[in-house]
Amino acid sequence: QVQLLESGGGSVQAGGSLRLSCVHSGDTGRYNCIGWIRLRAGVDGEEVAGITFDGKSTYYRDTVKGRFTISRDNAKNTVYLDMNSRKPEDTAMYHCALGDCVDGNYFPAGGIWGQGTRVTVSS
């Protein structure tokens, strides 16, 4: 079974930068993509960004384009989310998730998430 372990969350002020990491191991099965989703109290969960395992294709939610960057280090089996110019509304529990990347879109597999790492952005 695949294992996902997130880290890097914390509490920072708006406008700052933070890097989230997700180390994955085991069989990724049929999925060709890995990325990040976030959950906020009272708000529907949303996909944030995804990247194919070969690192050649990426997906970003419109609200994070230009602010967040997803990347991979294949040697370390790690995917990163660099968060820049963060806003209070970015406060959420961020989960690493396997999924499918098709036609430029990232479709997370909701049942295959890591434990998550909490990000709090203060104004």
Side-chain angles (χ1 to χ4, degrees):
Q1 181 65 267
V2 64
Q3 297 181 29
L4 306 171
L5 180 61
E6 303 97 329
S7 63
S11 299
V12 296
Q13 294 185 354
S17 299
L18 189 67
R19 166 170 277 194
L20 305 184
S21 299
C22 172
V23 179
H24 58 90
S25 62
D27 187 6
T28 57
R30 69 175 181 85
Y31 302 105
N32 74 329
C33 202
I34 189 169
W36 298 89
I37 62 174
R38 63 186 181 186
L39 303 177
R40 291 175 286 170
V43 181
D44 291 340
E46 59 187 21
E47 74 281 2
V48 177
I51 185 169
T52 55
F53 284 106
D54 61 15
K56 295 182 179 179
S57 299
T58 58
Y59 164 83
Y60 295 98
R61 191 176 187 86
D62 287 341
T63 54
V64 307
K65 287 182 178 179
R67 300 191 298 117
F68 294 3
T69 301
I70 189 168
S71 62
R72 285 188 53 81
D73 185 336
N74 290 334
K76 298 180 179 179
N77 287 332
T78 303
V79 61
Y80 303 101
L81 185 68
D82 292 307
M83 307 170 66
N84 301 309
S85 300
R86 289 175 295 129
K87 306 174 181 179
E89 53 263 42
D90 292 323
T91 295
M93 191 75 172
Y94 285 74
H95 296 265
C96 184
L98 298 179
D100 298 318
C101 285
V102 181
D103 296 329
N105 296 314
Y106 167 50
F107 301 95
I112 311 177
W113 297 358
Q115 293 296 308
T117 185
R118 189 175 302 279
V119 173
T120 301
V121 182
S122 60
S123 60

